[in-house]
Amino acid sequence: VTLNFGNLTDAEAAAINEDNAVTTDVSRDTSNALDAIVKFVDEYNKLIEEINKEISTSRPKSQGSYFDPLTEEQKEEMSDKEIEEWNKKAKTGLLYQDKDLSAVLTSLRNALNLRTTDGFSLQSIGITESDNWRDNGKLQIDEEKLRAALEENPDKVSEFFTDSENGLSARVEKSLDSAVSTSKS
C-alpha cells in the first residue's frame, strides 16, 4: 500500500524519511451494520408487540352486548363525540384470538430460527429471544457480542441477513408475503 500525503509543511515532509516511518492502522467501520441490525430488532419488536396487542385485546361490552356498528337512527340520537367513542370501542378487539394473525406471529418467530449449515444463527451474534414470557417473543441484543461478530466475521454476518435465497431477511419477507396472500384470499 502506498500512501501519498498532500498539503504537508516542509518540516512535516522532512520528518518523513526512511528512518522515520509512518504507521497507520486500518479497520472496518461496523457502526452502520450494527445500527441496521439494532434497527431491524427494534422494528421486529414493535411488530411483535402490535400483533400480540391485537390478538390479546378482547372486544369490550356494554350491558352484556358488544359495541356493534351504529345504525343511522342511533347516530341521530348521539353527539359527534359519542359516535367517535362508540366507533373506537366497536373497532377494539376485532382481531382477538385471530387464527390468521396468530399464524403470522408463529411464522415470523419460526423465520428467526434460521441456522446455517455450519450452525451460525442469531444467537451466534448475540441476538436472543427474551426469557421474560411477558415479552411474547421479543428479541434482545447483547451489543458486545454483536460488535465482536461484526468485527471478527463481517461477511458471514452480512450474508446471514442478506442472502437472497436463505438469508434472514428473505425468510422474514417470505413469511410476511405468505401472511398478506392469506389475508387477500
Side-chain angles (χ1 to χ4, degrees):
V1 174
T2 302
L3 300 174
N4 295 314
F5 296 95
N7 299 325
L8 296 176
T9 65
D10 289 338
E12 291 169 330
I16 300 174
N17 57 42
E18 289 182 27
D19 297 330
N20 188 6
V22 175
T23 304
T24 181
D25 292 323
V26 178
S27 64
R28 187 182 297 240
D29 180 6
T30 59
S31 62
N32 288 340
L34 179 79
D35 292 345
I37 292 170
V38 168
K39 183 177 180 184
F40 167 79
V41 169
D42 288 344
E43 293 299 319
Y44 175 83
N45 286 343
K46 287 177 190 174
L47 179 62
I48 294 301
E49 184 174 333
E50 189 62 34
I51 292 173
N52 278 306
K53 177 182 166 195
E54 291 297 329
I55 63 176
S56 65
T57 301
S58 61
R59 290 186 66 193
K61 289 184 178 182
S62 173
Q63 300 174 354
S65 298
Y66 293 116
F67 288 84
D68 291 326
L70 294 168
T71 63
E72 289 304 317
E73 294 85 28
Q74 289 171 318
K75 287 181 183 178
E76 288 175 9
E77 298 172 5
M78 301 170 82
S79 70
D80 288 344
K81 177 116 173 114
E82 289 172 324
I83 293 171
E84 183 181 327
E85 288 175 10
W86 183 280
N87 287 336
K88 184 177 178 182
K89 290 178 183 175
K91 293 175 185 176
T92 300
L94 292 177
L95 296 173
Y96 179 64
Q97 295 182 345
D98 183 86
K99 65 180 173 84
D100 291 329
L101 198 51
S102 294
V104 169
L105 188 59
T106 300
S107 178
L108 281 171
R109 291 174 78 176
N110 287 338
L112 295 182
N113 287 326
L114 174 64
R115 187 171 298 279
T116 63
T117 55
D118 63 353
F120 196 78
S121 66
L122 283 175
Q123 292 81 9
S124 303
I125 60 172
I127 300 175
T128 57
E129 196 172 287
S130 172
D131 291 335
N132 186 340
W133 65 271
R134 288 185 177 106
D135 287 340
N136 294 310
K138 286 184 181 179
L139 299 176
Q140 55 191 17
I141 301 174
D142 177 341
E143 284 199 33
E144 285 183 36
K145 192 170 182 181
L146 177 55
R147 264 190 187 71
L150 286 168
E151 289 171 9
E152 294 167 12
N153 212 340
D155 295 334
K156 191 171 195 168
V157 174
S158 175
E159 185 177 337
F160 179 80
F161 280 95
T162 63
D163 181 279
S164 61
E165 294 295 318
N166 300 311
L168 185 64
S169 60
R171 289 177 55 124
V172 169
E173 184 177 7
K174 288 175 190 173
S175 176
L176 292 175
D177 285 347
S178 175
V180 170
S181 65
T182 298
S183 296
K184 285 193 288 190
S185 63

